[in-house]
Amino acid sequence: MTLALNRPSKLLFIIILYSITGFLFGQENSRSPQDSLSLNTLEEVVVTANRYGSLQNKTPEAIEVVNNNSIQRFQLRTAPEALLLAPGVFVQKTNHGGGSPFIRGLTGNQTLLLYDGIRLNNATVRSGPNQYFNTIDVFSVGKIEVLRGSGSVQYGSDAIGGTIQALSTALDTAEKPVWGTDLFTRLVTQGMEQTANAALKYGDKRMAFRANATWRNFGDLVGGDTTGQQSPTGYRELDFDLKGKILLSDRSSLTTVYQRVHQKDVPVYHKVALEDYAINKMDPQKRELAYVRLHQDLGNNIFKTAVVTASYQHHEEGRILQKNGSNSLRTENDKVRTFGFSAEALSSSGKIWSANSGIEVYSDKVKSSRIDKDLSTYTETANRGLYPDGATMTSMAAFSMHTLSWDQWEITTGLRFNTFINKVADSALGTTKLTPSALVGNLAVQRSLNQSSNVFASINTGFRAPNINDLGSLGIVDFRYETPNFDLKPEHSLQYQVGYKFRNRVVKAEVFLYRNELYDLIVRNSIEGDSIEGYPVYQKKNVERGFIQGAEMGLDLSLNPNWNLTGNLTYTYGQNKTSDEPARRIPPIFGRLATSYAIKNWNLNADWLMAGKQDRLASGDIDDNRIPDGGTPAWNVLNIHGSYSINYITIAVGLQNVFNEDYRYHGSGVNGYGRSGVLSVSARL
């Protein structure tokens, strides 16, 4: 594995590497007995790695946490943009209303998205970049956890690259009834954003709830330097969520959540700018989620806790398309209804052994339609939608994960068996039933070197079962016309990883190396000499093998109680063995260097984002009109933010892209923000 760095990349690499090595040696030599007392107070509790709370530094996985206060401090406007704070995550934007996270070179249906442990990935999640994580209201999130390289044993299909979980804001009970209100508004210059958010909170001895509502109007995105206004890119959004918790007894509690996100008129900019469309937008883009979760302390010598969750989710995506000069207006609509159920038990014996075992069921049903309207005669014709109407996908799984701890050693291992029933009944293509299954496992061994540091090695197998999007899509996707294939089997991965973690009261440092072997990849294959509606025809097949490998490093320095410095750098290399060419959409080397300084009521923040040039392209990248000829150029962007708090009010201002640089995340359909001002006011009553 070779590293080819441009000048800014080399600078960031040197800063982080020297800081890590220098501080580690310095801290080891100067550590006092008091340092060990503060280790646990610095520790972050994470739940995604084991499905229950564990200390981040003691977890033998590459896992990172993005907290809500960091999201607010750097004024990140959406859930995908909040992921820019997480090392190892590259966020591509097909459109301004999207944001597709790449973990270890993979995205789309090869990366698993969760909300409070419930799968957002459904039967129609597409390969490649998508907009699904943007259907999470960032104001409903307490924190986001990113688990790189793992998740299939814990959560099932799609976690080949890793798992991203958004966790709702925690609720607190109180000895006396307490009401609270949070108010927030934000404006961005050049009309790029107007946001208003309000939350109402209540807590007493037995219950707590939080109601949250968000209204947003995003204007057209204005890029840097020579880009100017990118029209159409703006859209509107209205969100609502409610979370409640009731203590049924001293040993049991019930949590309920309902959330609804509704986005309107979300343009796909590059289709209009580059592919001769007069109209190409998603309207509506909606997602609803409701769940109820029972948490019961069992008080048994072995079985400690049981958790049962029942969920309902509804996702709707509408698409409106019209070519320039055409009298035909096409309206497509896809709806996916998902019921979910899980039951799990946490077991332990002393401090040596603990386990989490359970079952999980998800059932999806797809409704898909298309109407073509002739604007010259105002006649409408109903046609087959993008997917077979009435198609279903059912997932059933059993899993068991175990942790053994003694002395300086920690071993985690687990297994999951997952089986699927996919039923597709199509008037044009016939009826098909597909029943793929997969058995996956993981093993990680961690050794504590001292109170501050540890090393670990892990191996994870992952899989992705073919879904309805793979089996039954018929129509225009990106710059291709897809036809269905009903003879597909799961994709598989085998990932090796080694890591080093160091943490004390001054410094947190991590370094990870990994290699992910990919098998039976489902890819679009061109049908030579065939075209429909002017687009080349493709069909998906299990025909490819490949690998992705890379390195990730992160550093967090608490220089004094008021001053913090953070940096990370990620390098990714991917190769398609079958076609002997680079893997598709591999991010360039990228990183972030940020500093925060707080004194009295003031808080000052700055972050420098950078990405190297990506000119190592697959043939599919070369054909992709979102990628410039010769590859995506390197870029550097500096943002500064500051806030002042008085009593219960905080006023924050920021300047994004200080030097007004033109830049684009590799594979995106729009360029990033140009120089723009941000003003926000929040009140906590």
Side-chain angles (χ1 to χ4, degrees):
M1 183 171 67
T2 59
L3 282 170
L5 308 183
N6 59 16
R7 188 173 179 180
S9 305
K10 289 179 181 177
L11 177 60
L12 184 57
F13 178 83
I14 291 170
I15 291 172
I16 295 174
L17 184 61
Y18 272 82
S19 299
I20 288 175
T21 54
F23 267 85
L24 295 190
F25 280 113
Q27 292 305 309
E28 282 299 295
N29 292 334
S30 64
R31 194 172 66 248
S32 67
Q34 285 78 14
D35 288 338
S36 63
L37 298 177
S38 61
L39 288 175
N40 287 337
T41 63
L42 288 167
E43 278 280 27
E44 186 83 51
V45 175
V46 295
V47 299
T48 305
N50 298 314
R51 296 181 65 118
Y52 61 86
S54 58
L55 297 178
Q56 181 184 14
N57 202 49
K58 303 299 182 183
T59 302
E61 297 286 356
I63 186 167
E64 190 65 31
V65 178
V66 177
N67 285 301
N68 183 269
N69 57 0
S70 297
I71 297 171
Q72 293 181 10
R73 215 167 47 237
F74 290 95
Q75 301 199 50
L76 298 164
R77 76 177 191 121
T78 64
E81 290 183 8
L83 292 172
L84 298 176
L85 300 178
V89 182
F90 189 83
V91 181
Q92 184 262 28
K93 283 190 174 184
T94 292
N95 59 340
H96 190 40
S100 191
F102 281 70
I103 304 179
R104 296 189 168 176
L106 297 173
T107 192
N109 55 21
Q110 294 176 318
T111 296
L112 180 60
L113 307 178
L114 305 168
Y115 190 94
D116 282 356
I118 296 166
R119 296 173 59 90
L120 299 189
N121 294 43
N122 59 36
T124 64
V125 170
R126 297 187 291 273
S127 63
N130 57 51
Q131 76 284 5
Y132 302 115
F133 203 66
N134 198 41
T135 63
I136 294 176
D137 179 14
V138 71
F139 293 100
S140 74
V141 173
K143 66 176 181 177
I144 301 173
E145 295 184 0
V146 180
L147 177 63
R148 305 190 297 276
S150 182
S152 280
V153 172
Q154 299 93 320
Y155 302 102
S157 179
D158 301 357
I160 293 179
T163 303
I164 299 175
Q165 177 165 210
L167 294 160
S168 58
T169 303
L171 298 178
D172 297 318
T173 55
E175 285 300 313
K176 297 181 179 180
V178 177
W179 290 89
T181 302
D182 294 335
L183 302 174
F184 177 89
T185 185
R186 178 165 58 215
L187 301 172
V188 178
T189 56
Q190 302 174 86
M192 282 194 284
E193 180 186 348
Q194 301 96 44
T195 290
N197 170 262
L200 178 65
K201 300 175 290 184
Y202 173 79
D204 61 26
K205 286 185 177 181
R206 284 294 181 183
M207 66 171 291
F209 76 82
R210 181 179 186 269
N212 176 73
T214 306
W215 171 86
R216 321 196 74 175
N217 180 38
F218 296 111
D220 285 337
L221 183 61
V222 180
D225 197 10
T226 59
T227 297
Q229 187 179 55
Q230 300 171 88
S231 181
T233 51
Y235 65 98
R236 293 166 290 157
E237 182 174 330
L238 184 62
D239 309 328
F240 173 77
D241 62 89
L242 177 65
K243 181 178 183 180
K245 180 179 180 179
I246 301 175
L247 301 182
L248 302 176
S249 69
D250 293 339
R251 298 171 60 176
S252 65
S253 64
L254 192 69
T255 301
T256 60
V257 164
Y258 172 77
Q259 61 177 209
R260 183 177 189 270
V261 174
H262 187 179
Q263 299 166 349
K264 293 177 62 67
D265 298 316
V266 185
V268 185
Y269 171 71
H270 76 280
K271 294 282 187 180
V272 176
L274 302 175
E275 296 186 19
D276 198 33
Y277 275 93
I279 302 173
N280 194 305
K281 63 182 180 180
M282 291 181 286
D283 185 30
Q285 180 71 42
K286 293 166 56 176
R287 187 180 60 81
E288 289 181 276
L289 169 65
Y291 76 78
V292 58
R293 175 170 291 155
L294 175 65
H295 186 283
Q296 178 70 51
D297 291 336
L298 301 177
N300 187 275
N301 290 335
I302 299 295
F303 299 102
K304 306 299 184 183
T305 305
V307 180
V308 179
T309 305
S311 64
Y312 169 81
Q313 196 162 191
H314 182 268
H315 182 271
E316 179 179 359
E317 179 182 320
R319 295 176 297 278
I320 302 174
L321 309 93
Q322 182 186 11
K323 285 289 190 80
N324 284 313
S326 173
N327 287 323
S328 178
L329 180 69
R330 176 175 298 177
T331 302
E332 300 176 337
N333 187 275
D334 302 319
K335 299 176 181 177
V336 183
R337 178 271 297 150
T338 304
F339 289 106
F341 175 82
S342 66
E344 56 192 293
L346 176 63
S347 310
S348 66
S349 178
K351 297 181 179 180
I352 296 178
W353 170 80
S354 61
N356 193 34
S357 305
I359 59 171
E360 201 169 61
V361 179
Y362 284 93
S363 177
D364 293 356
K365 184 172 184 178
V366 179
K367 293 186 66 65
S368 185
S369 63
R370 166 184 154 191
I371 296 177
D372 292 334
K373 184 176 183 179
D374 189 326
L375 299 178
S376 62
T377 62
Y378 293 97
T379 57
E380 294 183 349
T381 304
N383 289 296
R384 181 195 190 272
L386 181 61
Y387 307 113
D389 190 43
T392 61
M393 177 175 176
T394 301
S395 166
M396 296 170 286
F399 61 88
S400 186
M401 299 172 293
H402 300 258
T403 299
L404 298 173
S405 303
W406 71 92
D407 293 333
Q408 287 81 34
W409 294 93
E410 181 132 339
I411 299 174
T412 63
T413 186
L415 286 173
R416 169 184 281 253
F417 178 74
N418 223 139
T419 188
F420 298 81
I421 302 173
N422 295 340
K423 293 182 179 179
V424 176
D426 190 90
S427 57
L429 303 165
T431 301
T432 298
K433 180 179 179 181
L434 194 68
T435 57
S437 61
L439 176 66
V440 290
N442 61 12
L443 173 66
V445 179
Q446 180 168 282
R447 175 71 157 84
S448 296
L449 303 179
N450 49 53
Q451 291 181 330
S452 301
S453 61
N454 57 61
V455 294
F456 76 88
S458 68
I459 181 170
N460 291 278
T461 58
F463 77 103
R464 187 186 76 81
N467 61 16
I468 302 302
N469 177 269
D470 296 307
L471 297 172
S473 59
L474 176 65
I476 299 169
V477 179
D478 291 336
F479 49 90
R480 308 173 178 88
Y481 195 100
E482 282 195 11
T483 61
N485 181 7
F486 296 130
D487 186 22
L488 295 173
K489 57 185 178 181
E491 300 177 326
H492 291 278
S493 68
L494 177 62
Q495 186 160 166
Y496 309 90
Q497 177 179 215
V498 293
Y500 172 75
K501 299 181 181 182
F502 180 96
R503 188 164 196 161
N504 66 14
R505 63 182 181 181
V506 176
V507 58
K508 170 189 171 186
E510 299 177 332
V511 180
F512 305 99
L513 299 174
Y514 71 90
R515 181 180 173 97
N516 195 2
E517 298 283 352
L518 305 170
Y519 308 91
D520 301 319
L521 294 178
I522 299 173
V523 296
R524 300 181 180 108
N525 277 258
S526 174
I527 300 177
E528 295 296 331
D530 200 357
S531 66
I532 299 175
E533 299 182 23
Y535 287 86
V537 177
Y538 283 72
Q539 188 179 66
K540 292 177 179 174
K541 297 180 181 179
N542 291 95
V543 296
E544 290 190 352
R545 291 186 60 180
F547 69 87
I548 299 175
Q549 60 190 22
E552 302 157 342
M553 60 178 66
L555 175 68
D556 194 331
L557 302 177
S558 298
L559 301 176
N560 60 47
N562 302 319
W563 188 14
N564 180 263
L565 180 68
T566 302
N568 63 72
L569 191 68
T570 300
Y571 169 76
T572 313
Y573 179 95
Q575 182 72 12
N576 186 319
K577 293 182 179 180
T578 303
S579 58
D580 192 25
E581 66 171 3
R584 281 215 64 193
R585 304 187 186 93
I586 294 297
I589 188 167
F590 65 95
R592 177 176 181 265
L593 191 62
T595 185
S596 297
Y597 184 78
I599 182 169
K600 295 184 179 179
N601 297 334
W602 294 91
N603 195 300
L604 304 175
N605 309 280
D607 63 334
W608 168 36
L609 306 173
M610 58 72 54
K613 181 179 181 179
Q614 182 54 290
D615 55 5
R616 190 174 182 274
L617 305 176
S619 56
D621 295 332
I622 295 172
D623 293 338
D624 193 333
N625 55 25
R626 291 168 292 189
I627 299 176
D629 292 339
T632 305
W635 51 264
N636 296 272
V637 170
L638 176 66
N639 307 306
I640 55 176
H641 300 276
S643 66
Y644 178 75
S645 300
I646 181 170
N647 296 328
Y648 52 85
I649 296 177
T650 299
I651 300 173
V653 296
L655 185 62
Q656 301 175 123
N657 196 353
V658 173
F659 300 110
N660 203 33
E661 178 167 351
D662 259 331
Y663 73 101
R664 172 175 291 202
Y665 280 85
H666 181 60
S668 294
V670 292
N671 286 354
Y673 297 98
R675 184 188 297 122
S676 51
V678 184
L679 170 66
S680 66
V681 180
S682 59
R684 178 160 293 184
L685 309 176

